[in-house]
Amino acid sequence: MNFLSKTIILCSLFTTGTIGINFQNIRAQSIRVYETAQFGIKPDSKKNISPLIQKMIQTIKKQQQPGDSIVIRFAKGKYNFHEKGAAVKEYYISNHDQVKSKYIGIALEDLKRTTLDGNGAEFIFHGRMLPISLLRSNNCTLENFSIDFANPHIAQVTITGNDPKNGITFEPAPWVKYRISKDGTFETYGSSWNIQPAWGIVFEEKTKHVVYNSGDRGCNTKGCYEIAPGKVRAPYWKDDCLQPGTRFIMRGWGRPAPGIFLSHNENTILNNIKVHYAEGMGLLAQLCNNITLEKFNVCLKGDNDPRYFTTQADATHFSGCKGKIISCNGLYEGMMDDAINVHGTYLKVIKRIDDHTLVGRYMHDQSWGFEWGKKGDEIQFIRSKTMELTDKKNIITDIKPYDKPQIDGAREFVITFKETIEKEISDKEGYGIENLTWSPEVIFAGNTIRNNRARGALFSTPRKTIVENNFFDHTSGTAILLCGDCNGWFETGACRNVIIRNNHFVNALTSLYQFTEAVISIYPEIPDLNRQSKYFHGGEKEGIIIENNIFETFDAPILYAKSIDGLIFRNNTIKQNQDYRPFHGNTSRFKLERANNVFIAE
């Protein structure tokens, strides 16, 4: 039995059964089952259940005794959550807009051995909300429900006319609430929000693939007007790519909250969940230890769903986690970014106080305000321009917020280290700090990724990563990316042990986005590659192995690798098709830049 088989069986053991709890030490525990109907929370009512959920959670927490296992079980049906009466929390969430106050549909905090069992429930949210949060909790399970919004913040329209002189004519989908603003701009709105979309992507009507060679597109709706009820003309919106019948997905720039937010948890299971829409990521997990996803889906509501989109950004995103991230048997489609992204965050050195003390800063505007490290964590330093590690690792002996009195909301930390810091590390040279302790092992297996924008799967962790038995179908950009960047996104770090095997890739690279050099791109962001003397990814002769995969492609590039030491590409099958016209600027099957110990044999 291979490692993956053992993992899937283990995953199944933790997620089967009627209540889905972790059964470790079950004899020493009592199980309290709470049916939500006991609290007046009943399905298929238009009633706002947000205040009832608040009261229920407060009651359950008061009654829980040490050693108890808790099951919160919904009856099957639809439940409506509104902002009024919802929990209001100040969360700083990685890779999202740092809007402090958020309305939370189901706010779960400081729990142990608790299972939220939706029993097939459909959770419908209204306004601008974070549907579910789970913080500072151990051995908890979320399962058997779906998340959706009654009025998504993304606007889907059908292109009905495209005239070089008169511009674009379109029909908003029936569920889209819209108006023409005073300055003549198309504007969508809800109970607590309004957006004037600036850009979007376009899908084929029948296949729901992103339109070939389209990428991100602007949508200039200034001066628009209705030519009939539900039919809008935008005379200044000119775009030859938009053919009648295609679906254009209009977007704003914001990502205020994910569908599910996990933070500071131990041993979390998410089983049989469907996220149909969220204004940020489908799932964002930060600073968690051990997360298992089994049949976690960011997906449409089946083949007959009139929508073409799901989430505003990534389907799943893991920032600064450790232990194991196991993601098996999921469906990820229609999202506006990647299916999975696993990384840490570099702090930039902005001040050297003494030979043992530095000040580091969160640099990206969507990643700050939350804990970065703890006493005893192992770290390493990297030079930003060349992405080269210094020779010595170090240990944190103390870390405190520097620009705030508390961690929440802090961007800067004063960090004291056990060993003397190398002399060259200062704010003048440009150095980043990577936390090695908070980096996970990853298993991403048996998933389907299709019809989405940008990329399929991103991994930036030095620990063992297995990517196998997945189906990447029209991901539009690169299917798998190994990245690393201490200059823009500041997402760590180098991959040392990656196995990519038994995957099936069909027509990736139908559009160009950032880091889309090939179907599999090993693409760290290195501003001064010419002066680099060390390698970023790899480090051993078999650091990254790509084997036994099937590539079906209309274009040339299969593998791109930059700054890699130890890469094997073997026993893979490449099938050339004529589904689209080749257009990629990279015309090489295999393109290498600063590569060492590379073995390629199809």
Side-chain angles (χ1 to χ4, degrees):
M1 183 180 293
N2 63 29
F3 181 64
L4 174 64
S5 299
K6 292 178 181 178
T7 300
I8 291 177
I9 290 172
L10 179 63
C11 201
S12 178
L13 287 173
F14 281 124
T15 53
T16 54
T18 57
I19 57 178
I21 64 170
N22 189 330
F23 286 96
Q24 293 177 345
N25 300 321
I26 190 69
R27 294 176 183 173
Q29 302 169 9
S30 62
I31 301 175
R32 294 175 179 261
V33 179
Y34 292 89
E35 304 287 350
T36 58
Q38 300 172 228
F39 300 88
I41 302 169
K42 298 180 180 179
D44 303 319
S45 168
K46 294 183 179 180
K47 185 177 181 179
N48 172 25
I49 69 165
S50 293
L52 297 177
I53 289 287
Q54 280 262 79
K55 291 179 181 178
M56 178 189 72
I57 293 172
Q58 291 169 4
T59 299
I60 291 172
K61 290 183 72 172
K62 287 179 182 177
Q63 293 180 357
Q64 186 173 18
Q65 299 296 317
D68 281 353
S69 290
I70 298 296
V71 179
I72 303 169
R73 183 185 288 132
F74 287 77
K76 187 175 182 179
K78 291 185 179 180
Y79 298 84
N80 287 281
F81 296 78
H82 293 259
E83 294 174 359
K84 185 176 181 180
V88 179
K89 300 287 184 176
E90 290 193 358
Y91 291 154
Y92 290 88
I93 303 177
S94 182
N95 293 79
H96 283 74
D97 303 330
Q98 300 304 359
V99 179
K100 291 190 296 182
S101 296
K102 295 175 174 61
Y103 294 99
I104 317 298
I106 304 176
L108 304 172
E109 298 184 355
D110 305 301
L111 296 170
K112 293 182 178 179
R113 298 176 299 279
T114 298
T115 294
L116 177 71
D117 183 0
N119 194 32
E122 300 174 51
F123 297 150
I124 311 298
F125 296 85
H126 301 258
R128 181 163 269 162
M129 300 184 71
L130 194 170
I132 298 175
S133 63
L134 177 66
L135 278 72
R136 301 180 301 276
S137 297
N138 298 339
N139 301 307
C140 292
T141 298
L142 307 176
E143 64 181 3
N144 303 326
F145 58 83
S146 65
I147 290 172
D148 200 4
F149 279 70
N151 181 19
H153 313 86
I154 287 175
Q156 178 176 305
V157 306
T158 299
I159 305 300
T160 59
N162 188 341
D163 185 276
K165 182 178 179 181
N166 296 318
I168 300 290
T169 304
F170 62 91
E171 293 180 358
W175 61 84
V176 175
K177 293 184 179 181
Y178 75 92
R179 59 196 173 206
I180 309 300
S181 68
K182 292 181 180 179
D183 65 349
T185 302
F186 182 78
E187 182 175 79
T188 58
Y189 66 94
S191 58
S192 60
W193 59 271
N194 63 282
I195 295 172
Q196 293 185 353
W199 64 304
I201 65 171
V202 56
F203 288 92
E204 295 176 0
E205 179 182 10
K206 293 181 179 179
T207 66
K208 295 195 174 181
H209 299 331
V210 175
V211 168
Y212 160 78
N213 202 10
S214 58
D216 295 334
R217 313 196 74 80
C219 52
N220 182 2
T221 64
K222 288 188 176 180
C224 70
Y225 54 92
E226 281 194 320
I227 59 174
K231 199 166 189 176
V232 180
R233 177 166 292 158
Y236 303 113
W237 186 7
K238 307 289 179 68
D239 191 337
D240 293 339
C241 182
L242 306 182
Q243 298 303 309
T246 54
R247 303 301 195 272
F248 193 88
I249 305 306
M250 293 182 167
R251 308 173 60 198
W253 299 104
R255 50 169 79 168
I260 298 175
F261 174 48
L262 308 178
S263 184
H264 290 84
N265 301 314
E266 298 265 351
N267 305 325
T268 305
I269 296 172
L270 294 94
N271 174 45
N272 192 30
I273 294 171
K274 296 177 181 177
V275 179
H276 298 306
Y277 174 75
E279 200 179 1
M281 316 287 187
L283 164 71
L284 188 287
Q286 66 189 33
L287 298 159
C288 292
N289 184 9
N290 295 330
I291 303 173
T292 297
L293 277 61
E294 172 67 18
K295 295 182 181 178
F296 184 90
N297 309 282
V298 173
C299 62
L300 303 173
K301 299 177 185 177
D303 294 338
N304 296 321
D305 191 342
R307 289 190 200 165
Y308 284 63
F309 64 90
T310 53
T311 55
Q312 180 75 266
D314 297 353
T316 66
H317 198 109
F318 303 87
S319 175
C321 294
K322 68 178 181 178
K324 289 186 178 180
I325 294 171
I326 302 172
S327 177
C328 300
N329 306 314
L331 170 61
Y332 303 104
E333 62 180 344
M335 57 278 184
M336 299 296 106
D337 234 317
D338 322 312
I340 183 173
N341 188 346
V342 181
H343 66 87
T345 303
Y346 291 112
L347 294 184
K348 182 178 180 180
V349 176
I350 62 168
K351 186 176 183 180
R352 182 178 179 122
I353 294 177
D354 57 43
D355 286 348
H356 287 267
T357 312
L358 299 171
V359 177
R361 187 175 198 268
Y362 278 122
M363 295 304 296
H364 197 275
D365 285 341
Q366 289 182 326
S367 291
W368 56 275
F370 47 90
E371 188 174 31
W372 183 81
K374 300 175 181 289
K375 180 180 178 180
D377 286 353
E378 183 181 40
I379 65 92
Q380 62 186 4
F381 299 102
I382 190 166
R383 191 179 181 208
S384 300
K385 287 184 180 180
T386 60
M387 295 297 284
E388 293 174 296
L389 295 171
T390 63
D391 293 331
K392 292 199 305 183
K393 296 176 182 178
N394 215 322
I395 301 293
I396 296 174
T397 59
D398 191 41
I399 179 169
K400 296 176 182 177
Y402 187 68
D403 60 337
K404 298 280 184 180
Q406 71 288 325
I407 290 174
D408 288 349
R411 288 193 80 147
E412 299 172 1
F413 296 87
V414 56
I415 309 172
T416 304
F417 299 96
K418 181 178 180 180
E419 307 295 336
T420 302
I421 303 162
E422 293 101 317
K423 297 257 182 224
E424 67 269 23
I425 297 174
S426 69
D427 60 309
K428 296 180 176 58
E429 281 294 316
Y431 278 87
I433 316 172
E434 178 180 3
N435 192 322
L436 292 172
T437 297
W438 289 87
S439 58
E441 294 183 40
V442 182
I443 299 172
F444 186 71
N447 301 289
T448 295
I449 304 94
R450 66 188 184 195
N451 302 335
N452 66 294
R453 172 189 173 275
R455 291 158 299 268
L458 281 67
F459 303 100
S460 300
T461 174
R463 302 189 191 275
K464 188 171 186 177
T465 299
I466 298 176
V467 185
E468 67 179 351
N469 299 322
N470 301 291
F471 183 34
F472 294 87
D473 181 15
H474 289 78
T475 53
S476 81
T478 286
I480 297 176
L481 172 64
L482 308 182
C483 38
D485 174 16
C486 194
N487 298 279
W489 287 99
F490 285 83
E491 293 182 358
T492 65
C495 295
R496 306 295 181 202
N497 187 351
V498 179
I499 300 173
I500 300 170
R501 65 189 174 203
N502 301 324
N503 301 285
H504 189 179
F505 304 92
V506 176
N507 288 341
L509 299 176
T510 56
S511 287
L512 298 181
Y513 303 94
Q514 189 180 24
F515 311 119
T516 52
E517 288 296 301
V519 177
I520 297 177
S521 289
I522 302 170
Y523 196 145
E525 192 69 30
I526 305 172
D528 196 353
L529 184 63
N530 290 333
R531 295 191 181 185
Q532 187 188 68
S533 59
K534 302 177 183 179
Y535 298 93
F536 184 71
H537 285 299
E540 296 183 5
K541 289 185 178 181
E542 297 187 358
I544 298 172
I545 299 174
I546 303 167
E547 62 184 0
N548 301 323
N549 302 284
I550 298 173
F551 297 85
E552 296 186 41
T553 182
F554 63 94
D555 215 327
I558 295 296
L559 173 64
Y560 170 80
K562 176 168 65 175
S563 189
I564 174 73
D565 183 12
L567 170 63
I568 294 176
F569 184 96
R570 65 191 175 199
N571 301 326
N572 298 287
T573 301
I574 300 174
K575 299 180 180 180
Q576 195 73 24
N577 64 46
Q578 297 180 337
D579 293 349
Y580 303 97
R581 179 176 55 83
F583 76 101
H584 203 289
N586 176 14
T587 59
S588 302
R589 273 276 192 257
F590 307 100
K591 184 177 179 179
L592 306 174
E593 295 185 74
R594 266 198 58 75
N596 188 44
N597 290 319
V598 175
F599 174 81
I600 295 176
E602 292 184 23

